Amino acid sequence: MTPKERFQVKLSLELQKALPPDLAQSVLVELGLAYRRSGRRSLAYQDALNRRNECIIEAFNALPGKPWTRCFELVNRIVSGQLGDDQAGQQLKLAEQIGAKMPTTIRTMSKILSLSK
């Protein structure tokens, strides 16, 4: 947080006034309670992304085989729209219902799964 933002937080606390949304987001990021917002992404959207990613990781863990093979399998299921009826498919369906955009590239999927840096 910048010195100006810190001053605004202090002033808001002293005057017992609500923080502006952008400043409140910065405070949450500083405290480790939220991720940094980029563009128009709100806390609700970040929460949806986190929940989607958890479902995708569960689907990944439900598949047998080597990590990169499972990664390709998940992307193929999402792109084809045939998520499957197995445990991985159920997790993908849950992820899709959350409403956040589903990953359709190997690169994005590997970042979610922490397969590449």
Side-chain angles (χ1 to χ4, degrees):
M1 288 180 53
T2 66
K4 181 180 178 183
E5 289 174 331
R6 290 177 191 276
F7 178 74
Q8 286 178 318
V9 170
K10 181 180 176 189
L11 187 61
S12 291
L13 289 172
E14 288 174 355
L15 298 175
Q16 296 183 348
K17 291 190 175 183
L19 294 171
D22 287 342
L23 185 56
Q25 174 72 23
S26 295
V27 170
L28 291 173
V29 168
E30 193 75 21
L31 295 173
L33 300 174
Y35 296 102
R36 188 161 309 279
R37 188 177 359 182
S38 60
R40 298 179 297 171
R41 294 188 175 165
S42 65
L43 285 175
Y45 186 75
Q46 287 297 323
D47 180 56
L49 283 179
N50 290 335
R51 289 185 294 128
R52 178 206 68 186
N53 291 350
E54 287 173 6
C55 290
I56 288 172
I57 291 168
E58 288 296 321
F60 175 79
N61 290 333
L63 291 173
K66 296 183 179 183
W68 283 101
T69 306
R70 294 184 283 167
C71 181
F72 278 94
E73 173 72 21
L74 290 177
V75 171
N76 287 335
R77 287 184 183 201
I78 292 168
V79 170
S80 71
Q82 298 175 353
L83 303 178
D85 292 329
D86 58 351
Q87 186 178 359
Q90 296 299 324
Q91 289 297 323
L92 289 176
K93 288 175 186 174
L94 286 173
E96 196 172 58
Q97 290 173 356
I98 291 171
K101 183 180 175 190
M102 293 292 281
T104 57
T105 65
I106 298 299
R107 181 178 183 200
T108 305
M109 184 64 76
S110 66
K111 284 183 180 182
I112 291 170
L113 301 170
S114 299
L115 296 178
S116 63
K117 304 274 178 180

